Amino acid sequence: MPSPTLLVLLAGAALISLGVGLYTQRRARLRQRTIARVLDAADALERGLRAARSELETVTSDGQDPVRGAMRELLRHRLWLQEHGQTASLAALEQLRASLDGARRRIDEQLDHVARARADAAQAEANR
């Protein structure tokens, strides 16, 4: 029969091992949720950029394509995520998500500005 001290040590080691396993599993789930949120933000930005392309092309007369640069930047973010997503810190992943969300908000603001300008122009035309 093993000594009580040995049993306590074995039980302690088992508890520590269980705790480390649970912690590792929790971190892995958190990483996957964070990556999923980053991908959702990238998808939302891409949808916004595709919608914005036609709207912004109609009001940009200088031949520049502001959406093209944003799409390239989005692709760079996606490639970075593919290469570094599993090893990047959670803070870096959250920062990437925040950057994508900010870009989407800026595109939405530009689209709102275009819509207001069109509404104002239509109103001015109607008042003539």
Side-chain angles (χ1 to χ4, degrees):
M1 176 101 196
S3 72
T5 305
L6 180 59
L7 289 176
V8 168
L9 287 175
L10 288 174
L15 286 175
I16 290 172
S17 178
L18 178 64
V20 168
L22 290 173
Y23 174 78
T24 302
Q25 187 178 38
R26 181 176 175 262
R27 293 285 292 175
R29 281 194 312 265
L30 180 59
R31 174 173 295 285
Q32 287 311 113
R33 279 194 308 265
T34 302
I35 289 173
R37 286 195 312 262
V38 169
L39 290 172
D40 289 345
D43 291 343
L45 175 57
E46 186 173 358
R47 282 190 304 275
L49 288 171
R50 290 187 187 282
R53 175 171 272 147
S54 62
E55 289 295 318
L56 294 178
E57 283 176 349
T58 61
V59 296
T60 304
S61 60
D62 57 5
Q64 292 182 348
D65 184 1
V67 174
R68 184 179 183 141
M71 289 291 259
R72 266 193 241 136
E73 185 65 23
L74 176 61
L75 178 59
R76 278 195 290 274
H77 286 315
R78 285 186 186 269
L79 290 173
W80 181 89
L81 184 62
Q82 184 178 7
E83 291 179 24
H84 304 286
Q86 293 301 320
T87 58
S89 70
L90 291 176
L93 293 171
E94 284 295 335
Q95 184 178 22
L96 176 58
R97 184 196 52 78
S99 173
L100 292 168
D101 285 342
R104 183 185 43 78
R105 281 191 300 276
R106 287 188 298 278
I107 289 293
D108 289 344
E109 288 170 3
Q110 288 178 356
L111 288 173
D112 288 344
H113 181 71
V114 167
R116 282 192 306 273
R118 283 189 174 157
D120 290 347
Q123 183 65 37
E125 185 67 28
N127 289 338
R128 284 189 185 168

